[in-house]
Amino acid sequence: MKKLITFFLICISFYCHGQDRSQFYYQIESLIDNDKLEEVIALKSQIVANTTQLDTLSADILSIFGESYLGLEDFDNAVLNYEKALKASEQLIPIETTGYSNILYNLTYLYLEQGKFYKAIEAGGKLLAVDLMLYGKDSDAYLESVLYYSDILIETGKYSDALSILNKQLKNSKNDIFSTALINSKKGDVISLLGNYDSSKDLLDAASSSFVSNSDTLNFELTQAALGLNYIKQGKYPIAESILLQSKNNLSLLSDTEFIINDLDNNLALAQMALGRSSEAISIYKNLLLQDSLTFGAMHPNYLTSLINIG
């Protein structure tokens, strides 16, 4: 997710009164540097009380707390603050700012994690439109948003829509090798879900080669994981398991890949179940169930899927 804290610290330094301005700036800077997000939240009432022009700056202030709640994995309060920030931002001119883009980016993620798919698609569509105006269609920043939004569409089952925006962006890539590899990797994922496994494999193999050439381990392993899912859908479980296990081992050596590994584990368990090794698969599902209950709660689609798989 996009990081917002530094930008908003600057806002506080400009818009808080006199001596309190310095007090809050350095206090919050210190708390954030030390990852003390609970204490940032505790300052909420004081910051609001000591901030001028709250009507026009509330988006910036509320985004601080949205980001802090997000860091604490308190998704309900994160959404509450980001939604208020979004409403305030939409009253400003111009609304096409990096701050507005960041709010939409994080709201899209939060809606998806809460299982609010319609809201995720709506926020993601706004994000794409804003980033197109901010950065231009051939920019790396816009490509990032296209790939992000395509993930939202894939997650919500809108495969044809995802393929459409990816094909459109492929024309904007101007034959840039790395951008093309990123888009083709995602296209391969979508095409596999649509049942065209041979075309999917060709795209994934081509993307993998480009990532190897660029020493991009993370994207290579993500593409290999998509290839593993391709083989599962074809019923080729032994090769699928082999690819997924290798990707899992490699991803575990990288930082901040826990959620990626969880998604991979779900597919790995599918392959193991199909191979008749139900005890190994159930062990994975139980671990996913525990993690999903702690992170998302018992009503989240991820938790319910793991529960069904165990059943």
Side-chain angles (χ1 to χ4, degrees), residues 47-193:
I47 294 172
V48 171
N50 285 275
T51 303
T52 61
Q53 302 178 10
L54 186 57
D55 54 334
T56 57
L57 296 172
S58 57
D60 299 334
I61 297 163
L62 289 163
S63 292
I64 296 171
F65 302 114
E67 180 75 10
S68 297
Y69 281 121
L70 181 54
L72 294 169
E73 297 187 355
D74 184 346
F75 291 171
D76 289 339
N77 274 313
V79 166
L80 180 64
N81 281 272
Y82 275 131
E83 284 181 337
K84 290 179 179 179
L86 185 69
K87 184 177 181 180
S89 293
E90 289 174 343
Q91 296 173 5
L92 304 176
I93 298 175
I95 64 171
E96 295 85 4
T97 64
T98 54
Y100 185 59
S101 171
N102 288 335
I103 292 167
L104 286 168
Y105 189 101
N106 288 324
L107 262 179
T108 302
Y109 166 78
L110 286 162
Y111 286 144
L112 188 64
E113 292 305 313
Q114 289 187 323
K116 299 176 181 177
F117 300 132
Y118 175 79
K119 286 190 171 183
I121 292 171
E122 182 181 33
K126 286 183 178 180
L127 170 68
L128 210 59
V130 169
D131 283 358
L132 178 60
M133 295 185 68
L134 282 174
Y135 306 115
K137 63 182 181 181
D138 58 349
S139 65
D140 291 341
Y142 183 65
L143 172 59
E144 178 188 351
S145 294
V146 168
L147 295 172
Y148 181 60
Y149 187 47
S150 69
D151 280 335
I152 303 300
L153 294 172
I154 292 168
E155 189 73 17
T156 54
K158 294 185 176 295
Y159 306 136
S160 296
D161 291 343
L163 195 58
S164 177
I165 67 165
L166 290 168
N167 282 329
K168 185 176 181 179
Q169 187 58 24
L170 191 61
K171 296 178 182 178
N172 298 332
S173 67
K174 298 181 178 179
N175 297 319
D176 179 80
I177 294 175
F178 186 67
S179 297
T180 299
L182 288 171
I183 296 168
N184 280 338
S185 176
K186 195 68 65 179
K187 279 186 62 179
D189 197 3
V190 180
I191 291 173
S192 175
L193 292 168

